[in-house]
Amino acid sequence: TVAKTANRTFAGIGDTVRWTLTVTVPAGVSALIPYVTETLPPGFYFVPNSTVLNGATLRSTPTFNNDRTVIWQLNTIDNSANPNNYVFT
């Protein structure tokens, strides 16, 4: 499952909006090189080097399949025993 929250309800031109995607991978699920995709709303732009995954800044650059869809490729996830959350901010 994926849950999304933002740090503000309203934004003006030039404001930075930081949002969080919490991806929950249930126990017993393994994923080989999974992707997380986020489509930015109209008028929003991705800030390079701004992605944080589970508290650590990602140094890899996401890819884009157009001007508004951001795609992060992750390492293999093996949740054989326990569910895990992956938190993107």
Side-chain angles (χ1 to χ4, degrees):
T1 61
V2 177
K4 182 169 34 175
T5 60
N7 70 335
R8 50 175 72 216
T9 305
F10 299 99
I13 295 172
D15 287 347
T16 298
V17 178
R18 181 171 290 274
W19 67 92
T20 301
L21 299 175
T22 302
V23 180
T24 302
V25 181
V29 173
S30 295
L32 180 63
I33 310 173
Y35 292 88
V36 174
T37 302
E38 173 67 7
T39 301
L40 303 175
F44 282 68
Y45 299 93
F46 177 77
V47 176
N49 301 314
S50 64
T51 303
V52 175
L53 174 59
N54 293 340
T57 300
L58 286 181
R59 296 291 174 213
S60 62
T61 303
T63 58
F64 299 85
N65 69 357
N66 58 41
D67 288 341
R68 294 184 24 231
T69 302
V70 186
I71 305 166
W72 293 272
Q73 181 179 340
L74 304 178
N75 293 325
T76 297
I77 296 171
D78 182 5
N79 289 348
S80 299
N82 298 307
N84 283 310
N85 288 332
Y86 297 87
V87 180
F88 290 80
T89 54

